[in-house]
Amino acid sequence: KRGELMAIIGSSGSGKSTLLNVLGGLDTPTAGRANVAGWDLLRMSNRARVLYKRDTVGFVWQNVSRNLVPYLSALENVELPMILAGRFDRNRAKELLAAVGLEKRMPHKPVHMSGGEQQRVAIAIALANNPSVLLADEPTGSLDSRTAQTVLQAFRQVRDLFGVTIVVVTHDRSMSNAVDRFVEIRDGKTSTEAVRRDLAEGRVAETTHDQYTLLDSAGRLQLPLS
């Protein structure tokens, strides 16, 4: 849903990264349907696909070197996508870095920042051209648990501030506790889907998500554990 923070959870080879590449316009599916923010991803010209990747979706990768230009400062890294799109706005770049808690790190280059700080810069870069959807592939996979929580908090912060829809792909099932919705996939098919329930103030619950009963594409009925 619009403005939702969700996770796609699956083991290696389950199809989660392929799905992310399809949603991001990096891979073109050969069949089926794929629609994102009003775009039909099976029926796009090459030019439309370039515009889609530049303006509609933002990317955050697990490999930090894929996110940042090493010889540019944090601020310059965020400004770069704006320059390439012809809409340079230094104030917005500063706003994005402040939103992820890096207002004091703007002049620093990646080599002088921690892995968690670099990933938060990557989130700001992904939002530079005001996309509708932010796609993140294992964004905390190379971080320790404490740093990972800081990065997840940055995702929640930018979701709340800018209303962007965020899809995180991960193998880490504990990620389910940090998102509004999670979908587990196995062998390319949905095996579990659950949505966070609204908890009354002061109420303590062991689980914060309501799990759906699903009929998958192979005709199997997937029942919740409880």
Side-chain angles (χ1 to χ4, degrees):
K1 295 181 179 179
R2 184 187 300 271
E4 190 172 52
L5 172 58
M6 73 160 295
I8 299 171
I9 303 172
S11 59
S12 178
S14 62
K16 61 185 186 300
S17 292
T18 298
L19 175 57
L20 195 76
N21 287 341
V22 168
L23 296 177
L26 302 176
D27 290 341
T28 304
T30 55
R33 294 188 302 272
N35 296 279
V36 177
W39 291 87
D40 184 342
L41 301 184
L42 273 75
R43 295 176 176 83
M44 297 173 69
S45 66
N46 288 336
R47 174 172 172 75
R49 192 170 294 276
V50 170
L51 294 175
Y52 171 80
K53 288 186 287 186
R54 191 181 69 188
D55 299 331
T56 303
V57 292
F59 299 91
V60 178
W61 306 104
Q62 177 182 357
N63 188 343
V64 175
S65 64
R66 194 173 179 183
N67 294 318
L68 308 180
V69 179
Y71 53 81
L72 297 180
S73 68
L75 182 61
E76 290 167 339
N77 264 286
V78 179
E79 292 171 342
L80 183 59
M82 302 177 184
I83 294 171
L84 295 175
R87 52 173 84 103
F88 173 71
D89 186 341
R90 174 155 291 177
N91 288 332
R92 174 167 173 77
K94 291 180 177 179
E95 178 188 16
L96 290 171
L97 285 169
V100 296
L102 294 176
E103 56 267 48
K104 295 182 179 180
R105 306 292 279 167
M106 295 184 189
H108 294 265
K109 294 181 180 179
V111 69
H112 298 129
M113 292 185 284
S114 68
E117 288 173 336
Q118 290 179 47
Q119 283 299 66
R120 283 187 280 157
V121 174
I123 295 172
I125 293 170
L127 294 170
N129 288 331
N130 196 28
S132 302
V133 182
L134 181 60
L135 304 173
D137 190 5
E138 299 277 9
T140 61
S142 59
L143 305 175
D144 62 75
S145 57
R146 184 173 181 177
T147 304
Q149 287 301 315
T150 303
V151 172
L152 290 173
Q153 179 56 38
F155 278 119
R156 288 191 287 267
Q157 179 78 358
V158 298
R159 185 273 310 272
D160 293 341
L161 285 174
F162 305 112
V164 63
T165 303
I166 302 174
V167 180
V168 177
V169 161
T170 181
H171 69 278
D172 182 4
R173 201 181 186 287
S174 67
M175 182 76 74
S176 62
N177 297 319
V179 297
D180 304 318
R181 179 191 303 267
F182 69 85
V183 175
E184 291 190 67
I185 64 174
R186 184 173 62 244
D187 300 327
K189 303 180 187 301
T190 300
S191 61
T192 300
E193 182 173 359
V195 178
R196 182 180 296 277
R197 67 161 64 102
D198 293 326
L199 298 177
E201 186 175 352
R203 176 183 171 190
V204 178
E206 291 183 1
T207 179
T208 58
H209 289 76
D210 288 324
Q211 195 167 324
Y212 291 145
T213 297
L214 296 170
L215 183 66
D216 70 20
S217 56
R220 299 174 299 197
L221 191 64
Q222 305 283 356
L223 298 175
L225 293 176
S226 58

